[in-house]
Amino acid sequence: MRILAVDTCAKSCSVAVTDAGCLEGEVFTRRRQTHSRHLMRMVDMVLEISGMTMGEIDAFAVTRGPGSFTGLRIGISAVKGMALAGRKPVVGVSSLEALAWPMAMQGGLVCAILDAGKGEVYSASYRFPEAPSRGDAASPPPDPSSRTISDERALSPQDLLAGISGPCTFVGDGVRAYAGMIADRMGNLARFPSDEHHDIRASAAARLALLRLNRGGGDGVDVLVPRYIRRSDAELGLGKAQAP
């Protein structure tokens, strides 16, 4: 199955095409411009790199949040439009799960963190099976689809760290913002991957979407909506204005 996936949840933006779970092409950028300025050009680029046409895509995937409210709307609107035009299935993928997924093969607890602004982070934790020891060649690799997922939530980094007591890998752009605090609070229990892993990759969203599609899952285009977790500034302002 050929999947075209899009991520526009944070400061980075990426588009990827996978075929049967294998990456055929991916385009990534972290520009300051709004993602609407370059997203569709990136779609064209990744199709050209992959040697495919839009008609050869079997399904679409998109990160549904949490993340930037504007970014989420841009990505989801674009993917819904492409899915409707091609009458193809679409899958909404958690941005936090897409962050954690590349860490699956090392096993253990992974805490995905996105900087939510206002002194908060969006976060969820995932526990993956421990990888076999390097000397145990007979052991099969762990199944990364077996995991325990905590609720996605918006909270202060202090409250997040208060709930973690064991070794944990921290990943996401929230790590860039709060790495010092994490290291001070967690000491040698905190593990940090290399910097490139702190950005969401559309290729991870595509592989997660494939798992769901293989299990008969997916989302109707009419019901796929962003997952914001907390209210927007406009909604908060309206609530204050209406308060007695």
Side-chain angles (χ1 to χ4, degrees), residues 72-109:
L72 290 173
R73 289 192 289 268
I74 290 169
I76 290 177
S77 295
V79 165
K80 289 173 76 167
M82 290 185 284
L84 279 171
R87 297 183 180 180
K88 301 292 176 64
V90 61
V91 179
V93 174
S94 163
S95 54
L96 294 169
E97 191 172 3
L99 263 176
W101 184 253
M103 303 291 103
M105 296 308 292
Q106 70 182 30
L109 183 66

Side-chain angles (χ1 to χ4, degrees), residues 14-224:
S14 62
V15 182
V17 169
T18 60
D19 188 354
C22 296
L23 182 62
E24 297 295 322
E26 186 167 27
V27 180
F28 172 90
T29 185
R30 201 191 300 149
R31 300 177 67 184
R32 297 194 176 203
Q33 294 177 323
T34 177
H35 298 324
S36 62
R37 295 283 300 274
H38 45 255
L39 176 58
M40 296 314 296
R41 279 189 292 139
M42 291 173 67
V43 170
D44 291 338
M45 289 172 62
V46 81
L47 287 171
E48 182 180 355
I49 291 169
S50 304
M52 297 182 196
T53 65
M54 187 66 77
E56 293 175 305
I57 297 299
D58 300 307
F60 295 89
V62 61
T63 46
R64 56 157 174 74
S68 160
F69 287 17
T70 300
L72 290 173
R73 289 192 289 268
I74 290 169
I76 290 177
S77 295
V79 165
K80 289 173 76 167
M82 290 185 284
L84 279 171
R87 297 183 180 180
K88 301 292 176 64
V90 61
V91 179
V93 174
S94 163
S95 54
L96 294 169
E97 191 172 3
L99 263 176
W101 184 253
M103 303 291 103
M105 296 308 292
Q106 70 182 30
L109 183 66
V110 177
C111 183
I113 310 173
L114 286 173
D115 187 0
K118 303 183 185 300
E120 288 189 327
V121 295
Y122 298 121
S123 182
S125 295
Y126 305 80
R127 185 171 294 281
F128 296 96
E130 295 290 344
S133 64
R134 293 184 179 180
D136 189 1
S139 297
D143 176 7
S145 66
S146 298
R147 57 197 181 277
T148 301
I149 304 175
S150 70
D151 290 337
E152 299 173 346
R153 51 194 174 151
L155 72 173
S156 71
Q158 294 90 341
D159 287 343
L160 170 66
L161 296 174
I164 300 175
S165 58
C168 180
T169 298
F170 295 88
V171 64
D173 67 11
V175 174
R176 294 188 179 116
Y178 296 105
M181 179 188 297
I182 295 170
D184 289 344
R185 296 287 184 93
M186 300 296 297
N188 59 10
L189 295 178
R191 299 180 299 219
F192 302 103
S194 54
D195 185 73
E196 65 268 20
H197 290 293
H198 294 317
D199 294 304
I200 303 169
R201 296 286 175 164
S203 51
R207 289 171 176 136
L208 287 165
L210 179 62
L211 287 176
R212 281 189 58 194
L213 289 167
N214 285 342
R215 295 167 182 160
D219 299 290
V221 173
D222 55 334
V223 298
L224 177 60

